[in-house]
Amino acid sequence: MSRLPGDDAKGGDAPPVLRYDGRRLAPARHLPVREVPVALTVNGVPVATLIASPHDLHFLVAGFLRMQGLVRSAGDLLTLSVCEEFGAASVRILGDVPDRITPTFTSGCGAGISFHVPGSGGRPVQLPSAGPFVSPESLFSAMEALARASEAYRGSGGIHSAGAWDGERLLLFAEDIGRHNTIDRIAGQALLAGVDLSGRILVASGRVSSEMAAKAGSLGISVVASRTSPTDLAVRICGELGITLVGYVRGRRFNVYTHPARIAAPAAERIPGVTGVILAGGRSTRMGSDKALLPYQGGRFIEAIHRRMEDLFEEVIVATGETNRYDFLPCRRVADLYPGMGALGGIHAALRASGSEKIFVVACDMPYLAPDLIRHLCSLAEGVDVVVPEGDGGLEPLHALYRKGVLPVVEDALRDGQCRVVSFFDRVRVRRVPLAEVERIDPDRCAFRNINTPEEYYRFRDGGG
């Protein structure tokens, strides 16, 4: 990677996830669980900030007010409005709000009530480029040590645990029925024992939330590793603070969500002799706007596609009819030499501009790219001009490899007014990859799925697939 994911994060630029498969780090697909802060005001008085999953927030707000004794029946709620986009809930109730509300912090898996959202208030830790680096074996050893120390967790399943690891041994260990409380216990032990946690590894048994990430930052922790998943806000905070966030440490594998350069494991090599091409600038008639520019992960949709392609190819090109529209991308943009001829015009422009003998083409609305499938398709190029996989509906020419030798027949097709990509396939050597072969690598056949309608976009953006 040319830069460290998270180095320039301003709050929503979620980096691509890297998966350690027992040998090396490689791009993978995984959306962290969503977590949203909701600032609650009652009768115009700020009461609390609730940190929760984003669904059915009006139930959460009403239940919170009931449990705090502010309302007794539905009739006590005069108005209740929740705006997830701005993280705010406004309620008007019968009666007055007490001058002082004494919160009851729950001891369960959530913090229950928090009067501020933990953000990047912790001090930035030493950046990964300066080390120290962490081996996969050290992470596995840390998680094994945590499991050995946590007999109660393994026995009943009702206790969360956390520990501070120095690379060789577990310095501190804590258990609690609340996963947030385990971090507080670790902080207290370190304070009373005079243990400096700067640069240490924090291992945890449960999900890493935004509050846990912020607390780790305030302690100077450099790596947070968990047996389960982080939330999206935890990813954001760790990216801002320079913390390497690792999830699903189990079975000799794990996911890296931020700052992978701190992990001393080889990254997957880029595919030699092939240029990655993103086709952009289509009409997007069903979407109603340019799909490539839709908001996603704190940036634009095409930026997420570009990050995945950048991990696979030394050179990435965007082929489009309007190069200025995508000038925010850190790669070459080439204009169609046959405007208005759709994807085939983009493939032609990319072939002409490519610095490699071969190109691999994807559409800008394919968010589920499967790196292993792309590598496999590129490995089949010997002796053919086109490698194209089969999908449920037939050939997938917008997820395929093309050799420069097809340029003359592509130009003939374009001059004849033929826009269909497959229009020249009968004049070149084509290797069709059967669906059964694709399914062995991508069992769910997600790689060819694209986003065409607002409903598909919202479902994908919100993690519904």
Side-chain angles (χ1 to χ4, degrees), residues 167-245:
E168 297 181 356
R169 62 192 178 95
L170 208 60
L171 296 174
L172 304 169
F173 171 76
E175 287 184 324
D176 199 285
I177 57 174
R179 53 193 165 91
H180 299 81
N181 294 349
T182 62
I183 311 303
D184 290 341
R185 290 175 182 271
I186 291 291
Q189 288 184 54
L191 177 68
L192 297 178
V195 176
D196 184 3
L197 294 178
S198 297
R200 306 300 188 186
I201 298 172
L202 177 71
V203 284
S205 63
R207 176 174 292 129
V208 179
S209 68
S210 59
E211 183 171 350
M212 294 171 70
K215 288 177 178 179
S218 70
L219 295 172
I221 295 291
S222 64
V223 179
V224 175
S226 171
R227 293 183 66 252
T228 60
S229 172
T231 67
D232 57 347
L233 285 185
V235 173
R236 164 182 164 179
I237 290 171
C238 287
E240 291 177 346
L241 295 181
I243 297 172
T244 297
L245 179 58

Side-chain angles (χ1 to χ4, degrees), residues 28-189:
R29 293 195 307 265
H30 181 258
L31 291 176
V33 177
R34 292 192 65 207
E35 179 185 29
V36 296
V38 181
L40 172 62
T41 60
V42 181
N43 292 354
V45 178
V47 171
T49 295
L50 311 178
I51 303 176
S53 300
H55 63 278
D56 297 332
L57 290 172
H58 58 296
F59 291 149
L60 173 68
V61 171
F64 168 78
L65 295 176
R66 179 182 183 181
M67 300 308 294
Q68 292 298 305
L70 296 179
V71 300
R72 295 181 179 276
S73 68
D76 292 337
L77 292 166
L78 301 180
T79 62
L80 191 161
S81 62
V82 179
C83 180
E84 180 188 335
E85 181 178 358
F86 291 98
S90 178
V91 182
R92 297 203 66 81
I93 63 173
L94 288 174
D96 298 324
V97 179
D99 292 336
R100 294 189 63 183
I101 297 178
T102 302
T104 301
F105 291 93
T106 67
S107 58
C109 289
I113 305 163
S114 177
F115 283 90
H116 72 285
V117 182
S120 55
R123 62 182 187 272
V125 300
Q126 191 176 31
L127 289 177
S129 58
F133 299 101
V134 178
S135 69
E137 285 302 321
S138 181
L139 291 177
F140 295 137
S141 296
M143 200 58 68
E144 290 167 2
L146 183 71
R148 287 195 300 269
S150 185
E151 293 297 329
Y153 176 77
R154 291 190 298 174
S156 68
I159 297 290
H160 290 286
S161 56
W165 177 260
D166 68 355
E168 297 181 356
R169 62 192 178 95
L170 208 60
L171 296 174
L172 304 169
F173 171 76
E175 287 184 324
D176 199 285
I177 57 174
R179 53 193 165 91
H180 299 81
N181 294 349
T182 62
I183 311 303
D184 290 341
R185 290 175 182 271
I186 291 291
Q189 288 184 54

Side-chain angles (χ1 to χ4, degrees), residues 272-277 315 351 354-360 378 381-382 384-385 401-404:
V274 183
T275 293
V277 174
E315 178 184 44
L351 283 168
S354 171
S356 305
E357 177 63 22
K358 300 180 289 289
I359 66 172
F360 190 90
C378 290
E382 184 68 29
V384 297
D385 300 306
L401 179 137
Y402 298 89
R403 193 180 292 273
K404 272 185 180 286

